[in-house]
Amino acid sequence: MRASGAGARPGQAETGLPAERGLPAERGLPADTPGQADAADPAGGAGQAKASDDVFTELTGQGSVVAELRQAAAAAADVLSGRAGQRAGGMAHAWLLTGPPGSGRSVAARAFAAALLCPAQGCGSCPSCRQVRAGSHPDLMLVRPDGLSYGVKQTRDLVLHAATAPAAGRWHVVLFEDADRATEAAANALLKAIEEPAPRTVWLLCAPSAEDLPATIRSRCRLIVLRTPSSAEVADVLVRRDGVDPQRALAAARAAQGHIGRAHRLATDADAARRREEVLRIPLAVTGLGPALTAAASLVSAAEEEARAVTEERDQPERDALRQAFGEGSTGKGVAKAVRGAAGALRELEDRQKSRATRAKRDTLEVALLDLAWFYRDVLAVQLGAQVELGNVGREADLRKLAEATTPESTVRRIEAIMTCRERVALNVAPLLAVEEMTLTLLPG
Ligand SMILES: [Zn+2]
């Protein structure tokens, strides 16, 4: 687990990595980080800041969520100024933000954190807001599992640290980006903290859905539900923010199924788009046993390739930052000690990077499987004559060909096999085995 912000001050983070905050990796996440340029909240509610350029403007298509978070930030400010209880809703110490991958739940959580920590409730331009954006605010602990889950020891350390007084005198905000990845023991430690919250601590948990957390935690959080933005909303962001051609933006948005970060990648990264094309060639290519096994192998290797591209981008800068933090070129008697410390920290970093790579591989394979399932969902829509927006723009001919050659029942069976494969990969079944079994169900008949 990694904690940046206050948790990453030298000697405080359990990793002992002084240089963790502000790493390029922190900003380079594919999933949720790309800013979103849509101010879809004309009401603005209680916010003092202008709705056009404050911290909430990065949320796409989440008008009611933005209104609720503004209201909550105002209520939190009331608490600080001793006017508590005046405002509807009041202040909660634990929040659970849910939404499908890519809907922007961690963007929403960060915006809310900024609003809590900013004297003007999230102006977007003051030093506090800028520190939140950079991930270096002393009172914001940004926590994500680097491996597959959060452990109990790390969670206990975090709970202890979060109970201390906030440095800037407002709130201590702890943001868990994938709270659903907490182990049971870690969840119990977290539950204790939420049951008896320190007066100035606010917990922000992010998860795909409320059901992903134990009921005991869920019931103590105020729930914020983000919806999947429409293809048009996602495309609009790509056009206005990234200057993507409108037609290309819409195709990417539909292909990404409402996942803004993935849509951005598909529209702007030729390799990502090519890998997706390869995945979508599978349904028509699987004509016999040989092609089915080849398809499985290429699906797994495409996922590994993409995972490598994503992790390598992050690994080297982290290693460089670590070396720098341990004083490359320093002199005096501290050097020997620093060298010993650096060796240990480097080993730890490599372990974390390795488990992150495993996770990335699994995540990218999952994306490929969802692309494939989405393709068959379109086939089914054609077979049933359903009036829905097709996800696979430009592949209508393939869709029709398969729709005519197979039955809706067999399409449903294939979608189920893909989803089963996805579950098995999540359960740590060897990816190639699980995928081979799945591609065999794609054979004609
Ligand atoms: Zn501000």
Side-chain angles (χ1 to χ4, degrees):
M1 179 173 68
R2 178 154 57 129
S4 65
R9 277 199 293 259
Q12 281 195 350
E14 61 279 355
T15 54
L17 293 184
E20 283 232 87
R21 56 185 152 147
L23 285 177
E26 202 70 72
R27 299 187 295 273
L29 274 184
D32 293 313
T33 26
Q36 305 165 4
D38 187 6
D41 175 38
Q48 267 105 354
K50 266 195 302 168
S52 58
D53 59 358
D54 70 5
V55 292
F56 291 108
T57 57
E58 294 196 350
L59 276 157
T60 300
Q62 309 292 349
S64 62
V65 163
V66 169
E68 190 172 356
L69 292 179
R70 278 189 207 283
Q71 181 84 19
D78 285 352
V79 171
L80 295 180
S81 63
R83 285 179 283 122
Q86 307 289 313
R87 215 174 285 266
M91 176 58 194
H93 284 272
W95 296 76
L96 173 56
L97 294 98
T98 68
S103 58
R105 52 182 192 250
S106 74
V107 174
R110 277 211 204 200
F112 186 35
L116 290 170
L117 296 171
C118 167
Q121 295 163 39
C123 66
S125 52
C126 71
S128 171
C129 286
R130 282 203 301 269
Q131 282 179 321
V132 169
R133 188 177 288 270
S136 63
H137 197 292
D139 292 328
L140 172 63
M141 298 177 72
L142 195 61
V143 199
R144 8 180 129 89
D146 263 322
L148 296 170
S149 63
Y150 295 104
V152 62
K153 181 180 179 302
Q154 293 93 328
T155 306
R156 281 207 191 106
D157 291 348
L158 194 68
V159 167
L160 278 179
H161 180 69
T164 59
R170 292 181 69 84
W171 302 96
H172 221 138
V173 181
V174 190
L175 198 171
F176 274 79
E177 291 210 329
D178 299 286
D180 52 308
R181 300 198 196 207
T183 60
E184 200 185 329
N188 282 334
L190 189 59
L191 176 62
K192 282 211 188 80
I194 293 174
E195 273 176 335
E196 296 163 29
R200 287 293 185 86
T201 303
V202 180
W203 297 84
L204 306 181
L205 314 180
C206 301
S209 73
E211 288 68 37
D212 292 316
L213 289 183
T216 43
I217 290 187
R218 198 158 79 208
S219 65
R220 284 172 175 80
C221 294
R222 195 185 296 175
L223 185 63
I224 297 282
V225 182
L226 284 90
R227 64 180 188 87
T228 303
S230 70
S231 302
E233 284 165 337
V234 173
D236 192 45
V237 173
L238 298 184
V239 171
R240 287 194 291 120
R241 185 194 63 193
D242 308 318
V244 175
D245 159 75
Q247 212 176 341
R248 188 193 180 91
L250 190 60
R254 286 201 197 172
Q257 306 160 41
H259 190 306
I260 295 164
R262 173 130 170 92
H264 170 82
R265 219 174 157 80
L266 286 174
T268 59
D269 177 345
D271 285 340
R274 176 182 56 77
R275 281 189 288 266
R276 179 169 183 277
E277 289 303 308
E278 278 165 19
V279 168
L280 296 181
R281 267 198 285 277
I282 290 176
L284 283 175
V286 175
T287 51
L289 187 61
L293 296 180
T294 309
S298 70
L299 195 56
V300 172
S301 66
E304 284 177 351
E305 199 187 317
E306 179 154 2
R308 206 174 307 126
V310 170
T311 48
E312 267 172 13
E313 221 166 77
R314 299 175 61 180
D315 288 358
Q316 191 56 46
E318 282 182 359
R319 280 194 292 267
D320 292 347
L322 181 72
R323 286 202 190 91
Q324 237 167 34
F326 276 94
E328 259 180 353
S330 63
T331 53
K333 60 181 176 184
V335 170
K337 202 177 154 196
V339 167
R340 270 199 305 279
L346 194 60
R347 243 193 330 273
E348 261 180 52
L349 178 66
E350 278 165 359
D351 283 349
R352 288 190 300 118
Q353 289 182 338
K354 214 184 281 171
S355 66
R356 186 170 67 197
T358 305
R359 198 178 112 194
K361 233 180 269 176
R362 200 181 284 186
D363 289 351
T364 47
L365 184 56
E366 174 168 20
V367 168
L369 291 171
L370 287 176
D371 280 345
L372 202 53
W374 202 236
F375 184 89
Y376 282 103
R377 170 266 192 198
D378 278 359
V379 171
L380 188 63
V382 173
Q383 285 173 325
L384 300 177
Q387 295 301 309
V388 294
E389 184 182 75
L390 293 182
N392 294 277
V393 183
R395 291 203 161 263
E396 288 82 357
D398 286 0
L399 294 173
R400 249 170 265 289
K401 200 165 161 190
L402 265 184
E404 280 160 21
T406 60
T407 63
E409 291 73 27
S410 69
T411 307
V412 169
R413 189 162 46 76
R414 290 180 179 119
I415 293 173
E416 279 170 357
I418 296 166
M419 298 322 256
T420 303
C421 174
R422 184 179 160 228
E423 280 163 28
R424 297 188 67 205
V425 169
L427 289 172
N428 243 342
V429 174
L432 190 57
L433 270 180
V435 174
E436 278 178 351
E437 197 171 303
M438 181 274 292
T439 54
L440 291 176
T441 69
L442 306 184
L443 289 171

